[in-house]
Amino acid sequence: MSRVGRRPIPILPGVEVSVEEGKISVRGPRGVLEMELSPGITVKVENDQVAVQRESDSLKHRSLHGLYRSLINNMVVGVSDGFSKTLEIRGVGYRATKSGNRLELSVGYSHPVVFEEPEGISFEVPNPTTVIVKGMDRQQVGNMAAKIRVVRKPEPYKGKGIRYLGEYVRHKAGKTGA
């Protein structure tokens, strides 16, 4: 058995989980998340816990067992607490501003790079060099943070660019004068 897949998922207070016809729906204070279940994977809700089971020990079912357990756990945590990714901007003159539902990045291009808040995602800019991406869907939050980071990846010589909070960027030695 999958070690991840066989652990039950505790249902947090204020969260409702319902399973019907190969579809799971998780409702909480932040909203509703839904997901289709793969054939061969069954989900049971009992005693304030969610249990994920597989119908056979085939390679496909074994690999999906732990995956679906993790995805459902992320849904339960997402509708109750939410997820966030913090990005750090480094470089002289590099900054971020938020106006309405738009995030504007000034990162060395001749024009500011603008991102609109997609549905379910919000941006926070506590200071000009920090951007926080928040939402209830972990995958959407990670994808949006990655799109923002790609605008100006950290470069290895001076470390300028957009990086995740706590990300280590290995520095290279520059040219030596001859």
Side-chain angles (χ1 to χ4, degrees), residues 26 49 57-58 67 72-73 78 93 123 134 139-140 165 174-175:
V26 181
Q49 290 186 339
D57 278 341
S58 70
L67 170 72
I72 294 168
N73 186 52
F123 301 125
K134 290 186 171 188
Q139 184 176 353
Q140 277 187 329
L165 185 66
K175 289 184 180 179

Side-chain angles (χ1 to χ4, degrees), residues 24-123:
I24 184 165
S25 175
V26 181
R27 181 180 306 274
R30 293 183 175 264
V32 179
L33 289 174
E34 293 181 341
M35 179 178 60
E36 296 282 332
L37 294 172
S38 180
I41 301 295
T42 56
V43 176
K44 293 182 181 169
V45 181
E46 51 196 25
N47 302 335
D48 288 337
Q49 290 186 339
V50 179
V52 180
Q53 298 170 342
R54 62 180 189 238
E55 71 179 25
S56 73
D57 278 341
S58 70
L59 180 62
K60 180 180 178 183
H61 290 150
R62 285 186 300 162
S63 61
L64 290 176
H65 189 206
L67 170 72
Y68 274 102
R69 191 263 178 209
S70 294
L71 292 175
I72 294 168
N73 186 52
N74 288 341
M75 290 169 68
V76 170
V77 172
V79 297
S80 62
D81 300 334
F83 293 100
S84 68
K85 284 265 190 192
T86 304
L87 298 163
E88 192 177 19
I89 302 172
R90 289 198 185 166
V92 176
Y94 288 10
R95 66 185 179 279
T97 56
K98 184 175 186 231
S99 58
N101 65 346
R102 296 165 48 119
L103 175 70
E104 292 185 14
L105 300 172
S106 298
V107 286
Y109 296 118
S110 61
H111 59 283
V113 180
V114 178
F115 286 96
E116 297 282 337
E117 282 183 353
E119 186 177 332
I121 298 290
S122 64
F123 301 125

Side-chain angles (χ1 to χ4, degrees), residues 155-159 170-178:
E155 53 97 11
Y157 297 102
K158 292 184 178 177
R170 181 180 291 177
H171 289 280
K172 292 182 178 179
K175 289 184 180 179
T176 57

